[in-house]
Amino acid sequence: MRRLRILVLMHPDFVPPDSLDGYTERQINELKTEYDVVSTLRAVGHDVRPLGVQEEIKPLRDEIEAFRPHVVFTLLEEFHNQVVYDQHIASFLELMQIPYTGCNPRGLVLARGKDLSKTLVHHRRIAVPAFAVFPMRRKVKRPARLSLPLIVKSLNEDGSRGISQASIVDTDEKLAERVAFIHERIETAAIAEQFIEGRELYVGVLGNNRLRALPVWELKFGNMGGHGTRRIATEKAKHDPTYQERVGIVDGPADDLAPEASARIQRTAKRIYRTLGLDGYARIDFRLSSEGTPYFIEANPNPEIAKSQEFATAARHDGLEYPDLLQRILALGIRRAKAGVSVG
């Protein structure tokens, strides 16, 4: 790929330094994606400019006019501190006719709401857990069709935010308490899903029209699960390196899946990706039940792509080294813009 001017968008708190020397493990963990993307793109010869944006759109417009990037690599997961506003940044870049990486606005909208994405996927005859949505400031009443136990989450936050062992409820009283927690602490509507006892699987998908499904990846819970602890991707299990090391939580290939089962899950991930109008790159999350049914849990367009995260490690396992993965993501954004019509 020729040398490009690349504007990398991120939260202002995570604009990376030139070197991580002197930073604590926790600080490095917080900005690892931003550092890995910026430093790797620079190392392969691109002219890279990081930009922290969050409260105003004007700095982005000014930087586009001054720097004239060939492409914008967006690592933003929120704007105005609202995750539901990330699609507006993609829309703004389209209005400015600037190629950008990752998913189009419509795909971001369809994937963001866990209820909408499940409804659309269910219509394609793909297994999803039964669920109910509990809007803010409404009385919590469990529908008769929804049997306990349930797992209660934010309707539109990702990254396991707000998920803990207390998220799994086995009484109506606990359901009401956990819904209230989501409403008050996370400040979003809540979704309660049928809890699927089983394995936590991820499939990365890369592409606009021609799709590449990466190997089926698994979050392996180590010795987590004793004394009534459920083996789920809590916020702590996903983001606390000390806890991960202590209980042996790692991610890696779902090696003991039969080849035909892996292929079926990869095909299902591609179907979900197309159903939700995704492009660029995304991670599709499943729970694999003890009966062998992969239940669609959620789609994550523009997932974390630090070198150590599931998407990049699965790509490396599939023969796509990290610099090549980033170059591929750039090429997909540029190709979509050249096609002249946004997917969204």
Side-chain angles (χ1 to χ4, degrees):
M1 183 179 284
R2 65 191 174 96
R3 187 172 191 263
L4 299 173
R5 291 187 301 276
I6 304 172
L7 183 63
V8 185
L9 302 186
M10 60 196 66
H11 192 285
D13 291 347
F14 303 137
V15 175
D18 292 332
S19 168
L20 294 177
D21 291 345
Y23 281 76
T24 66
E25 183 179 359
R26 180 175 181 177
Q27 289 171 324
I28 292 171
N29 189 59
E30 287 178 344
L31 50 76
K32 62 187 176 184
T33 299
E34 291 77 7
Y35 179 81
D36 287 351
V37 169
V38 170
S39 61
T40 301
L41 291 176
R42 282 177 173 161
V44 298
H46 296 301
D47 183 4
V48 181
R49 186 174 295 185
L51 178 67
V53 291
Q54 185 59 214
E55 300 295 337
E56 296 182 7
I57 206 75
K58 188 176 184 298
L60 172 55
R61 182 165 195 150
D62 290 346
E63 201 64 46
I64 288 172
E65 292 175 352
F67 186 48
R68 300 184 65 81
H70 294 106
V71 59
V72 171
F73 202 120
T74 178
L75 297 176
L76 279 176
E77 295 182 344
E78 60 183 35
F79 191 72
H80 274 307
N81 300 305
Q82 296 288 331
V83 295
V84 294
Y85 287 170
D86 61 350
Q87 69 264 19
H88 299 315
I89 299 300
S91 298
F92 176 77
L93 293 170
E94 291 194 346
L95 291 174
M96 294 289 286
Q97 297 184 313
I98 301 294
Y100 62 93
T101 63
C103 190
N104 68 85
R106 185 182 67 177
L108 291 170
V109 170
L110 296 182
R112 176 64 66 194
K114 295 181 178 72
D115 55 340
L116 179 56
S117 62
K118 283 184 173 62
T119 299
L120 292 170
V121 166
H122 179 65
H123 277 298
R124 294 300 176 99
R125 298 185 179 181
I126 295 170
V128 302
F131 68 90
V133 174
F134 299 97
M136 301 278 283
R137 293 175 290 278
R138 298 273 188 88
K139 185 178 180 181
V140 176
K141 184 176 181 181
R142 177 173 59 90
R145 59 178 171 76
L146 202 59
S147 58
L148 299 162
L150 302 169
I151 182 166
V152 183
K153 311 174 184 178
S154 163
L155 184 62
N156 46 39
E157 289 280 357
D158 55 16
S160 293
R161 186 168 178 228
I163 298 179
S164 70
Q165 289 296 321
S167 299
I168 298 181
V169 298
D170 53 13
T171 68
D172 288 328
E173 291 74 23
K174 290 180 181 178
L175 171 63
E177 289 174 8
R178 198 62 192 179
V179 168
F181 172 87
I182 296 295
H183 289 174
E184 294 165 11
R185 297 289 185 87
I186 312 299
E187 298 182 323
T188 70
I191 183 171
E193 304 170 2
Q194 197 76 53
F195 175 62
I196 307 298
E197 193 78 61
R199 298 167 65 178
E200 186 93 2
L201 302 182
Y202 307 132
V203 180
V205 181
L206 193 63
N208 294 340
N209 299 310
R210 296 177 58 187
L211 305 183
R212 174 176 179 173
L214 300 178
V216 181
W217 224 238
E218 181 172 7
L219 184 63
K220 302 173 184 181
F221 293 103
N223 58 19
M224 176 184 176
H227 306 295
T229 302
R230 303 279 194 162
R231 296 165 73 86
I232 59 170
T234 62
E235 196 166 1
K236 192 178 186 70
K238 288 281 284 185
H239 301 296
D240 186 336
T242 303
Y243 176 72
Q244 291 166 351
E245 186 174 351
R246 189 172 80 245
V247 302
I249 296 173
V250 296
D251 63 79
D255 288 329
D256 58 346
L257 280 182
E260 59 271 19
S262 289
R264 180 164 62 96
I265 292 169
Q266 287 174 308
R267 287 195 302 271
T268 302
K270 287 182 179 180
R271 286 178 62 205
I272 292 167
Y273 192 94
R274 294 190 191 281
T275 296
L276 299 178
L278 306 179
D279 62 359
Y281 62 107
R283 192 190 72 233
I284 312 298
D285 297 357
F286 297 92
R287 290 284 286 190
L288 184 67
S289 73
S290 55
E291 294 81 24
T293 300
Y295 284 85
F296 167 65
I297 300 300
E298 64 185 63
N300 294 277
N302 307 350
E304 279 208 41
I305 49 167
K307 289 179 185 178
S308 60
Q309 292 296 118
E310 301 99 342
F311 198 96
T313 52
R316 188 179 309 119
H317 189 75
D318 205 37
L320 194 59
E321 294 297 328
Y322 192 67
D324 298 322
L325 171 63
L326 298 188
Q327 299 263 48
R328 176 69 175 146
I329 289 170
L330 288 170
L332 287 167
I334 292 169
R335 190 174 303 159
R336 176 182 52 207
K338 285 183 176 178
V341 179
S342 166
V343 176

